[in-house]
Amino acid sequence: MALNWFKRQSKKKEILTRDGILVKMHAKDKYEAIEMVGKILVKQGKVQASYIDAMKARENMLTTYIGNGIAIPHGVGEAKDKIIESGIAVAQFPEGVEFGENQKAYLVIGIAGKGDEHLNILANIASACEDEKKVKKLINSTSADEIYEMLTEEVS
């Protein structure tokens, strides 16, 4: 299953857009990486700026590293009030970013899910990123367009 759900979700705005993807990024730590994806969500009008702090607070409670080189930072609880509309932002880190002991993320996917949409977003990300070959291609890609196409391709 691919993230084509993101393309179908809203007629007026996509949850994942090409300009919501950064490639070849470098971050000194997981908090800087979270800041990068959070700023994309803010710039796209998906969340209020204070949502970034909620993403970092969530990371302090429990890592958002899900394995296979992927982290999915997001805010929870009261942070839901900071979400304007659902969206995701992707940052690719070819050298990786430490999200914990033996937990290096090469793809950091910031999530903002309005209402209960966060559950669908998380499920779709998990499905799309369980294929190790596909994740490797995402990590090694040099193009936001290529990453967008891989994450939104239709699956038969």
Side-chain angles (χ1 to χ4, degrees), residues 49-74:
S50 58
Y51 186 75
I52 297 171
D53 292 331
M55 293 170 79
K56 292 177 185 176
R58 165 65 174 86
E59 188 64 37
N60 286 334
M61 291 189 299
L62 182 66
T63 186
T64 56
Y65 182 81
I66 61 168
N68 210 11
I70 300 165
I72 51 170
H74 55 284

Side-chain angles (χ1 to χ4, degrees), residues 3-20:
L3 298 183
N4 56 5
W5 177 83
F6 296 125
K7 290 173 85 173
R8 298 193 305 258
Q9 250 336 254
S10 171
K11 295 198 187 314
K12 71 177 184 177
K13 287 202 175 184
E14 292 179 289
I15 290 177
L16 174 64
T17 61
R18 293 175 196 274
D19 65 348

Side-chain angles (χ1 to χ4, degrees), residues 80-81 83-87 112-118 121:
K80 294 286 181 191
D81 294 342
I83 299 172
I84 299 164
E85 66 182 30
S86 294
K114 189 80 173 160
D116 288 336
E117 288 183 346
H118 71 284
I121 292 171

Side-chain angles (χ1 to χ4, degrees), residues 19-22 35-45 89-90:
D19 65 348
I21 301 170
L22 302 174
E35 185 98 13
M36 286 178 189
V37 292
K39 284 181 177 179
I40 293 169
L41 293 170
V42 171
K43 183 178 177 185
Q44 292 185 331
V90 178

